[in-house]
Each structure stands twice: as structure tokens, then as C-alpha cells.
């Protein structure tokens, strides 16, 4: 299901192998993503009140806006940190936010957070099966890489990073 140009998908359940795209002015409201389901918000799309259950995937790409996103600890997060992308929500009951290219207080367990030029991550923790990628022109501060987490720095800057055993 692709929602574009002023369209809206309301009260949608995305089940196994299902995909919901919100792009180019499309909006998804009150969405539940079950195991193996995917929601992708990108390039002018928006989503409000999204619940991602264990095994489901939430993807936010450049130009997307998402508010009130709740992810289970075993949900998969795919996030692009760039100045034109906005997000608020919770992962395993811990609140996080991203605005004006700054990702704050994001503790995630599965997935990839990719920070692009002009983007910043601060007070972030990467657990279990999570990866954080800090590209050229990007930076991360006060980051914890816990057991099973990975941090890649192909040209970006990290400061005050803590790497735990197994990270």
C-alpha cells in the first residue's frame, strides 16, 4: 500500500510480508505493524501514532516525518538522521526524538541508524543487533555501544563513546 499526495491511510494493520509506504504528501495515521510487516516513511510522507510490534520494521528516510512512534525492543529500526527528517517516539518505553538533524536519547536494540552530513546523534545507546553508521560530516556524542552493537565511522566524528564488552 502506497499513500501519496494528500492521501491518508487510517487505522491500518500491516501483517507479515505487508508494506505500507507514506511518501510525497501521503499520511499514515494509527498504524500497527506486526511481525515481518514494514512501514516506510520517506520524502514528504508522514506518519502519526505508529505501533511496531516485535519483529516488525519502522523505516524513516530523508524528508519523512513521524510522530508518536512506539517500538517494541525486538522491533527493527531503520533511521536516516538528516536535517530534513523529524521523529518522536519510544523504544521499549524510553522516549527519543529527532529534529533539525539531531537524534537524542535513542536506545535501540535491532536495526540501523545512519547519520549523514549535518546530522548528530547524542545520548544514544546501541544494543544487541543494532548498528550505527556515522558518515562524513556527521557526528555522535555520548554514545554507548553495548554487547552485540556495532559502530562504523567512515569519515564522521565520535566523541565520548563508551564501548562495553562485546560491543
Amino acid at each position: 500500500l502506497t499513500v501519496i499526495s494528500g492521501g491518508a491511510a487510517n487505522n491500518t494493520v500491516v501483517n507479515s510480508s505487508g508494506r505500507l509506504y507514506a511518501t510525497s504528501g501521503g499520511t499514515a495515521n494509527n498504524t500497527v505493524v506486526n511481525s515481518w510487516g514494514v512501514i516506510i516513511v520517506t520524502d514528504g510522507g508522514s506518519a502519526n501514532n505508529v505501533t511496531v510490534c516485535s519483529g516488525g520494521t519502522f523505516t524513516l528516510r530523508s524528508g519523512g516525518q513521524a510522530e508518536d512512534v512506539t517500538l517494541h525492543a525486538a522491533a527493527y529500526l531503520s533511521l536516516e538522521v538528516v536535517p530534513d527528517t523529524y521523529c518522536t517516539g519510544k523504544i521499549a518505553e524510553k522516549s527519543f526524538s529527532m529534529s533539525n538533524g539531531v537524534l537524542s536519547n535513542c536506545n535501540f536494540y535491532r536495526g540501523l541508524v545512519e547519520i549523514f552530513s549535518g546530522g548528530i546523534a547524542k545520548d544514544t545507546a546501541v544494543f544487541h543487533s543494532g548498528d550505527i553508521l556515522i558518515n562524513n560530516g556527521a557526528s555522535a556524542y555520548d554514545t554507548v555501544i553495548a554487547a552485540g552493537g556495532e559502530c562504523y565511522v567512515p569519515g564522521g566524528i565520535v566523541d565520548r563513546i563508551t564501548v562495553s564488552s562485546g560491543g
Side-chain angles (χ1 to χ4, degrees):
L1 172 62
T2 300
V3 189
I4 60 171
S5 191
N10 299 320
N11 307 309
T12 304
V13 177
V14 184
N15 287 321
S16 179
S17 300
R19 287 178 180 262
L20 171 58
Y21 292 87
T23 185
S24 303
T27 301
N29 298 307
N30 306 319
T31 305
V32 175
V33 183
N34 287 319
S35 184
W36 297 103
V38 178
I39 183 170
I40 299 169
V41 184
T42 184
D43 194 20
S46 62
N48 303 291
N49 191 23
V50 178
T51 299
V52 186
C53 302
S54 176
T57 297
F58 173 75
T59 299
L60 182 63
R61 293 182 179 151
S62 179
Q65 311 281 318
E67 234 175 318
D68 195 18
V69 178
T70 300
L71 287 90
H72 186 278
Y76 189 93
L77 174 68
S78 178
L79 192 62
E80 292 184 356
V81 180
V82 286
D84 66 347
T85 303
Y86 172 83
C87 187
T88 62
K90 293 181 179 180
I91 302 174
E93 300 304 317
K94 180 170 173 47
S95 296
F96 74 97
S97 65
M98 180 171 63
S99 182
N100 298 317
V102 180
L103 175 66
S104 302
N105 302 308
C106 184
N107 292 1
F108 71 103
Y109 298 81
R110 297 182 65 209
L112 172 65
V113 169
E114 191 166 6
I115 310 168
F116 290 94
S117 182
I120 297 169
K122 62 180 186 178
D123 301 312
T124 296
V126 186
F127 297 97
H128 303 315
S129 301
D131 297 312
I132 188 167
L133 179 62
I134 302 146
N135 287 297
N136 193 37
S139 54
Y141 302 96
D142 300 310
T143 302
V144 174
I145 309 300
E150 297 279 354
C151 179
Y152 303 93
V153 191
I157 296 172
V158 293
D159 190 18
R160 299 186 301 273
I161 188 168
T162 301
V163 182
S164 300
S165 176

